[in-house]
DNA sequence: TAGGCCATCTGGTCCT
DNA sequence: AGGACCAGATGGCCTA
């Protein structure tokens, strides 16, 4: 079937529908309208719910520099790493980085420690060496 | 140019 | 029935 909804349809969905032959049938118009409305809702949900949540979460993750651009998957992984770190710090008082722990799960994301990730990307000495969290051998 | 990332569309499922 | 949520597909943009 022709991809009749690959258009923004916020204001003139009727015109769009009438411009596509397979949807010139009057009986199918309500279906197309519902699909357009569903697309708009999904667009809105992604932009105003999902992305805002990612941006909010991003603000809670310390990086060097602070405004470093992170992809969504990086935000999720770093958030997990950071939570692990805070949890460890809260209950044990230790300052060990999550990325240095030997858990298999964490091992895969070893290079995504909040405190040294930026340095890993730049292939230089980890920025975390300048603070008390870092236990990486210098 | 290939790969990563993202926005958007789409159809299915679940919930109210 | 309609809306929310989700995952897969797709195409565009950007960077190494």
């Amino acid at each position: 079937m022709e991809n009749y909804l690959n258009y923004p349809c916020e204001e003139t969905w009727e015109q769009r529908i009438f411009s596509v032959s397979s949807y010139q049938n009057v009986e199918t118009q309500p279906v197309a309208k519902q699909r357009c409305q569903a697309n708009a809702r999904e667009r809105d949900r992604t932009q105003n719910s999902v992305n805002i949540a990612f941006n909010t979460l991003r603000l809670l993750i310390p990086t060097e520099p602070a405004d470093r651009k992170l992809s969504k998957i990086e935000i999720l992984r770093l958030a997990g790493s950071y939570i692990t770190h805070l949890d460890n710090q809260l209950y044990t008082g230790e300052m060990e980085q999550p990325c240095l722990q030997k858990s298999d799960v964490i091992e895969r994301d070893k290079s995504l420690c909040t405190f040294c990730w930026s340095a890993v990307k730049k292939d230089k000495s980890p920025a975390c060496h300048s603070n008390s969290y870092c236990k990486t051998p210098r």
Side-chain angles (χ1 to χ4, degrees), chain A residues 8-34:
Chain A
C9 52
E10 57 277 3
E11 76 295 355
T12 57
W13 67 268
E14 296 93 343
Q15 297 171 8
R16 308 269 188 202
I17 291 167
F18 280 114
S19 71
V20 178
S21 59
S22 62
Y23 271 78
Q24 288 178 356
N25 182 340
V26 174
E27 293 180 2
T28 62
Q29 290 175 32
V31 177
K33 181 181 180 180
Q34 284 179 353

Side-chain angles (χ1 to χ4, degrees), chain A residues 83-95:
Chain A
I83 290 170
T84 301
H85 162 76
L86 294 176
D87 182 70
N88 202 40
Q89 190 173 329
L90 179 65
Y91 290 103
T92 70
E94 295 178 6
M95 296 294 191

Side-chain angles (χ1 to χ4, degrees), chain A residues 59-124:
Chain A
L59 295 175
L60 300 175
I61 303 172
T63 55
E64 176 62 33
D67 63 348
R68 171 176 288 282
K69 169 69 178 174
L70 298 179
S71 70
K72 290 178 176 178
I73 187 63
E74 286 167 344
I75 290 171
L76 293 178
R77 285 175 173 166
L78 283 174
S81 169
Y82 189 42
I83 290 170
T84 301
H85 162 76
L86 294 176
D87 182 70
N88 202 40
Q89 190 173 329
L90 179 65
Y91 290 103
T92 70
E94 295 178 6
M95 296 294 191
E96 184 165 8
Q97 294 174 219
C99 63
L100 297 180
Q101 296 176 3
K102 293 304 177 187
S103 160
D104 288 342
V105 176
I106 295 176
E107 190 74 15
R108 189 159 48 88
D109 297 330
K110 200 170 182 177
S111 64
L112 283 169
C113 169
T114 300
F115 304 105
C116 59
W117 175 78
S118 62
V120 170
K121 274 215 148 185
K122 292 179 180 177
D123 192 27
K124 65 177 187 181

